[in-house]
Amino acid sequence: MEKILAIEHLSKTFVIHNLNKHIEALRDVCIDLKEGEFVGITGKSGSGKSTVFKCIYRTYAPQQGCIWYHSKKFGLINLAELSERQMIYLRKYEIGYVSQFLNIMPRTTARELVKQAVLEMGYEEERAELEAVKMLEHFELDQELWDCYPGTFSGGEKLRLNIARAMVKRPRLLLLDEPTASLDPASKLKVRELIEQLKREGTTMIGIFHDIEFMENLCTREYTMRDGKLADLEL
Amino acid sequence: MIKFEQPVLSINNLNKQFGKGCPSCKGSNEDSLKKNYCPVCGTVYACQNIMFEVYAGEILGVVGESGSGKSTLMQCLYFDQEVSSGEAYISSYKDGKTDVFAESSQQKRYIRNHMMGKVYQNPLLGLRINFTSIGNIAEKLIAAGNRHVGKMEARGKELLEHVNIPIYRMKEAPKNFSGGMQQRVQIAKALSNNPPLLLLDEVTTGLDLSVQASVLDLIKTIQRELQITVVIVSHDLGVIRMLADRTMVMLDGRIIEQGLTDQILEDPQHGYTQHLVQSLL
């Protein structure tokens, strides 16, 4: 299997100017991911798991190291040095991100939100509607909620919607930042089913989980992080 | 670095100063001026060495405190102000190979009427407040070369419907409208000539939260449907977060930082940007 992502010696330090402080968040992190794999990252809060994700997604600007990604459009590229335009393209078509929080336009219904993700990719209205409905049905989001504003949803409902929005694009690489954090067991099972389905379809995924039980038999490999470094590698 | 498309708008070294300057400020390196103001002659350097590119279908946000030069930049882009120096290229004008700042006033009017739309913070600047709403739209259409009354009326109705202004109120003057409705008429007017580039200057300032949300939603929908390029100026980081793909931060007439919007908001590099983001409610 070909490598789709290879993080080499990634380091990240936050500089807080008004306090004149340097906070080291990541040191010399190396992670690789082959096509079709699902790699899990565990670790305590503050160990740097989300920082790795945000560096891949370029929400954080990496300082040292390389993040090699094998793009369908651009070939082998270093995400750490990629132009903003290219990153926007990759976010739209190739890399999906499910965060712990739902950040949305006000007064946008759940259905619209999922639809917009498809429309952004250039598909037609009818196809977008079809895909959105399929995804909302798959996650068993109460049909009554489809045309409601997600601001009033419960944490679990918001998260399900967040996952639906990312997954409807069928990205090549999916980053899952604690997607099951506030879900009930039934919803967790749904997420698991969907992850398994995506795995079968060949989507490469990397996920942060606190729930080690959830990761079992689902992840191809696991990494553990401690104090901004990779602790060990379990096969 | 791979470049996969031509920018819709490209700005190179744009400078705008108010005042003649004096040996004291002219001789000094502009970067060494602590503020964009010369204490000796009173010259204000509103925009200094502004360089950026905007691509098709992209929303570029411009943030910064009051007096940082955001609105002056927009005025320069819409030719409301003459630039002191600098170049601008628009891809739809002569294949993007001609500096539009160096063109004649007549050509600039042509570019403004055919290739740009602008929504001002103050509807009094963007609308003829005593004209009818559809008349305001017709004014822009006439400026863009349209003469067929029936077609202009049909286009006006279509646009007003698009921005949720009831058709039965199209013959009412915007002075009778609420702030949100006035902004929506401005948006309709700005879009009437199908511009590839839309400039939005603090469009939601002064509107209540509910109207703000509907205006933001409208902008996002229109941008997605028409795939137009938008430059939006705001001091509200929430608005920028909702709309912009990329963001530039301005301070004292200079761009101090630019990047992906979520990167600017979550991992700001410059001390001022950090200060700005920490002030976000």
Side-chain angles (χ1 to χ4, degrees):
Chain A
M1 275 188 292
E2 204 182 329
K3 268 187 197 172
I4 191 168
L5 185 80
I7 301 175
E8 292 173 357
H9 309 289
L10 182 69
S11 297
K12 171 76 188 163
T13 303
F14 291 101
V15 182
I16 315 288
H17 289 280
N18 61 344
L19 302 174
N20 203 13
K21 252 187 170 180
H22 289 68
I23 299 167
E24 192 181 45
L26 292 179
R27 199 197 311 164
D28 208 24
V29 173
C30 299
I31 293 173
D32 60 71
L33 194 59
K34 289 184 190 122
E35 213 162 340
E37 261 194 324
F38 179 36
V39 166
I41 303 181
T42 55
K44 285 182 188 168
S45 294
S47 60
K49 308 182 296 295
S50 292
T51 308
V52 174
F53 271 34
K54 287 185 176 177
C55 285
I56 298 172
Y57 204 61
R58 275 283 293 279
T59 299
Y60 291 164
Q63 277 143 340
Q64 277 179 355
C66 298
I67 305 168
W68 296 106
Y69 169 70
H70 212 285
S71 160
K72 244 185 177 172
K73 182 163 176 91
F74 307 114
L76 186 66
I77 41 170
N78 183 3
L79 296 182
E81 289 175 352
L82 202 64
S83 77
E84 288 148 11
R85 281 298 295 161
Q86 286 171 300
M87 198 62 220
I88 290 171
Y89 177 90
L90 290 182
R91 285 179 179 190
K92 211 180 265 184
Y93 295 98
E94 294 193 23
I95 304 178
Y97 186 92
V98 177
S99 70
Q100 300 166 46
F101 312 102
L102 185 65
N103 194 7
I104 43 150
M105 282 286 289
R107 290 203 188 171
T108 308
T109 64
R111 186 203 296 264
E112 279 297 314
L113 201 67
V114 184
K115 245 171 85 175
Q116 274 172 18
V118 187
L119 289 171
E120 267 179 20
M121 297 173 76
Y123 289 111
E124 284 172 5
E125 184 83 20
E126 276 175 26
R127 165 90 185 261
E129 173 73 25
L130 206 73
E131 292 283 334
V133 167
K134 220 161 84 181
M135 203 44 80
L136 290 169
E137 270 174 354
H138 189 93
F139 275 94
E140 290 176 2
L141 194 73
D142 201 340
Q143 203 158 341
E144 284 178 1
L145 297 175
W146 290 7
D147 295 312
C148 295
Y149 302 132
T152 52
F153 286 11
S154 72
E157 285 162 351
K158 276 184 186 171
L159 199 63
R160 269 187 279 170
L161 185 59
N162 213 359
I163 298 171
R165 185 170 60 155
M167 288 187 174
V168 76
K169 290 186 173 189
R170 307 278 160 169
R172 251 183 114 218
L173 173 64
L174 189 61
L175 311 171
L176 302 162
D177 191 351
E178 299 194 40
T180 55
S182 52
L183 295 186
D184 57 80
S187 304
K188 271 187 189 176
L189 202 67
K190 275 274 145 210
V191 175
R192 194 186 172 100
E193 275 173 29
L194 202 87
I195 289 173
E196 277 168 351
Q197 188 191 328
L198 287 167
K199 254 174 83 175
R200 280 195 301 274
E201 287 170 5
T203 308
T204 313
M205 288 173 281
I206 178 162
I208 295 174
F209 297 96
H210 277 303
D211 190 348
I212 303 206
E213 235 174 75
F214 184 85
M215 285 169 76
E216 269 176 21
N217 302 324
L218 194 62
C219 296
T220 328
R221 283 178 297 130
E222 288 172 24
Y223 289 94
T224 307
M225 290 197 65
R226 196 174 300 139
D227 301 329
K229 289 178 285 184
L230 230 46
D232 50 22
L233 175 65
E234 293 164 22
L235 288 171
Chain B
M1 201 168 280
I2 312 158
K3 281 209 165 183
F4 58 102
E5 56 187 324
Q6 190 189 6
V8 168
L9 173 71
S10 175
I11 301 294
N12 206 355
N13 263 324
L14 185 153
N15 288 288
K16 173 69 189 168
Q17 66 183 68
F18 294 98
K20 287 181 179 170
C22 64
S24 157
C25 58
K26 272 183 178 169
S28 67
N29 176 2
E30 281 171 3
D31 286 339
S32 68
L33 283 173
K34 279 192 178 165
K35 284 268 169 191
N36 53 342
Y37 170 76
C38 173
V40 179
C41 65
T43 299
V44 176
Y45 292 90
C47 292
Q48 301 178 62
N49 298 324
I50 305 290
M51 290 170 87
F52 66 89
E53 289 174 339
V54 204
Y55 294 85
E58 183 180 43
I59 304 185
L60 177 73
V62 184
V63 291
E65 60 191 11
S66 297
S68 59
K70 311 183 296 290
S71 290
T72 307
L73 172 63
M74 293 296 259
Q75 285 163 7
C76 290
L77 296 182
Y78 201 58
F79 311 119
D80 283 338
Q81 297 264 5
E82 194 77 29
V83 293
S84 304
S85 65
E87 296 165 355
Y89 301 92
I90 296 174
S91 63
S92 50
Y93 183 70
K94 295 184 180 171
D95 286 337
K97 285 173 185 154
T98 307
D99 172 18
V100 296
F101 285 152
E103 291 290 79
S104 64
S105 307
Q106 195 186 1
Q107 283 302 312
K108 282 180 182 168
R109 258 201 311 277
Y110 174 85
I111 295 166
R112 185 152 83 164
N113 291 332
H114 288 82
M115 295 163 198
M116 286 184 183
K118 186 176 177 188
V119 180
Y120 294 83
Q121 176 181 355
N122 184 352
L124 286 174
L125 292 173
L127 295 174
R128 289 184 193 272
I129 212 82
N130 292 315
F131 271 30
T132 61
S133 307
I134 198 146
N136 269 286
I137 294 171
E139 189 195 14
K140 181 96 179 173
L141 288 168
I142 291 167
N146 296 279
R147 293 294 181 268
H148 194 292
V149 175
K151 281 183 187 168
M152 284 195 286
E153 190 172 328
R155 174 79 177 137
K157 279 181 182 172
E158 181 195 344
L159 285 161
L160 288 174
E161 239 173 14
H162 206 95
V163 298
N164 302 323
I165 300 283
I167 295 300
Y168 64 87
R169 297 192 73 178
M170 70 179 187
K171 296 224 165 133
E172 261 184 64
K175 69 175 178 186
N176 298 335
F177 289 174
S178 69
M181 283 172 84
Q182 288 177 351
Q183 286 307 55
R184 281 184 273 151
V185 175
Q186 269 209 88
I187 293 172
K189 183 180 178 180
L191 291 172
S192 59
N193 55 347
N194 283 323
L197 181 64
L198 183 64
L199 308 172
L200 306 173
D201 190 0
E202 305 270 16
V203 280
T204 55
T205 308
L207 301 177
D208 69 69
L209 280 178
S210 142
V211 180
Q212 228 182 63
S214 68
V215 172
L216 290 183
D217 192 27
L218 176 68
I219 294 167
K220 190 81 183 169
T221 310
I222 285 170
Q223 190 271 337
R224 199 190 57 233
E225 283 175 4
L226 307 178
Q227 277 299 301
I228 51 175
T229 305
V230 179
V231 181
I232 179 166
V233 159
S234 182
H235 55 241
D236 186 341
L237 289 177
V239 169
I240 296 296
R241 178 165 54 191
M242 287 298 151
L243 291 179
D245 300 305
R246 289 190 301 126
T247 297
M248 304 194 305
V249 186
M250 286 188 73
L251 177 68
D252 296 336
R254 299 186 191 94
I255 296 171
I256 52 161
E257 192 169 351
Q258 56 180 315
L260 295 163
T261 301
D262 55 342
Q263 190 191 316
I264 293 286
L265 294 174
E266 290 197 36
D267 186 22
Q269 305 294 310
H270 193 280
Y272 170 73
T273 318
Q274 288 186 357
H275 180 71
L276 198 71
V277 171
Q278 280 156 10
S279 316
L280 185 62
L281 290 174

